[in-house]
Amino acid sequence: MAETVVHEPHQHRKHPTPRDYWVIAFILGVITAAEVALSYMDFLGFGGPVLLIIMAIAKFAIVALWFMHLRFDLAVYSRLFVVGIIGAISMFLVVLATFAAL
Amino acid sequence: MTDLVTAEGHGEHISTHPDMNVVRKTAMWVFLGSECIFFGSLIATFLLYRTETRGGPTAKELFDIPFTSASSFILLMSSLTMVLAHNARERRDPRQLRIWLLATALLGSTFLAGQAFEFTEFAHEGLKLTTSPFASSFYVATGFHGAHVAVGVLMLLALLFMSMSGRLRTGEGMNVELVGLYWHFVDVVWIVIFTVVYLLQV
């Protein structure tokens, strides 16, 4: 049982190299710059906030999958984190719905 | 159970036994999952009260997006230096490990200095903790995040001093990994706060 769990992390996925991490950081920097530019584009209307949320989700996923190694680690860690995120979203919706902000 | 008691009695076994590493990492992920719910409630509260300014300054009047963007970029880059520290530890390169741990701690401290400056500016412009529900929810959400960053900086410095004094043994790399996970989590929380609390409000 313990053996199975210990060997699962490798999953035959190649871990990123330091160069890969620099590339990922560059991508995150570019997305952040795009977010800031977008926040000044009032003419986008409702599309602006939607794009900002999509970009934030992309940055969140990149950091979690590559920097936090969820892509390369045990699946149980991803599941635990996803449970937390679902809990956060549920809490979010319950708070806003309870106080009639939705 | 017996194994656990034995491991607790011998500190080195906790770090070097592969199964204990899985247990410690699982515990960290459970902790981070619960932290998601904690910050989710703080951000939801901010959204609830974001327009309740009670005559005080509004988000649009206060927020300096270029400044906060620079702070966000600094925190994002600290995730890069943290992962490079972790990578150096995997390669068993203590010199690089120390360099990147120090860089991460410095970037984290710079972020905190920026937040302290921002809070001071807001206070001068009339946004105190008790000015309005908007002010309270803003300071609580961003302040708790800042407190997490401060704890992270302390843990990074502890790792750095352990490494410099030779107390970060080869088998204790999990300590670097766990602090790294915490640090990256602080970064992803800021990604959400930056978008929801700052960018979407101006």
Side-chain angles (χ1 to χ4, degrees), chain B residues 25-92:
Chain B
K25 208 164 161 184
T26 304
M28 177 51 97
W29 278 108
V30 171
F31 169 69
L32 296 181
S34 69
E35 286 276 277
C36 284
I37 299 169
F38 173 71
F39 278 105
S41 63
L42 292 182
I43 295 168
T45 308
F46 171 80
L47 285 182
L48 198 61
Y49 295 120
R50 71 188 191 282
T51 54
E52 300 272 334
T53 54
R54 306 275 162 91
T58 64
K60 205 158 193 158
E61 291 164 356
L62 284 170
F63 290 168
D64 180 356
I65 293 301
F67 179 82
T68 314
S69 306
S71 290
S72 301
F73 183 74
I74 286 167
L75 199 61
L76 264 182
M77 291 307 107
S78 76
S79 257
L80 169 67
T81 53
M82 186 68 236
V83 83
L84 291 174
H86 179 245
N87 186 268
R89 211 278 316 165
E90 299 267 288
R91 290 184 284 107
R92 296 175 196 277

Side-chain angles (χ1 to χ4, degrees), chain B residues 98-109:
Chain B
R98 285 171 207 150
I99 289 171
W100 292 122
L101 282 177
L102 181 63
T104 311
L106 286 175
L107 288 169
S109 303

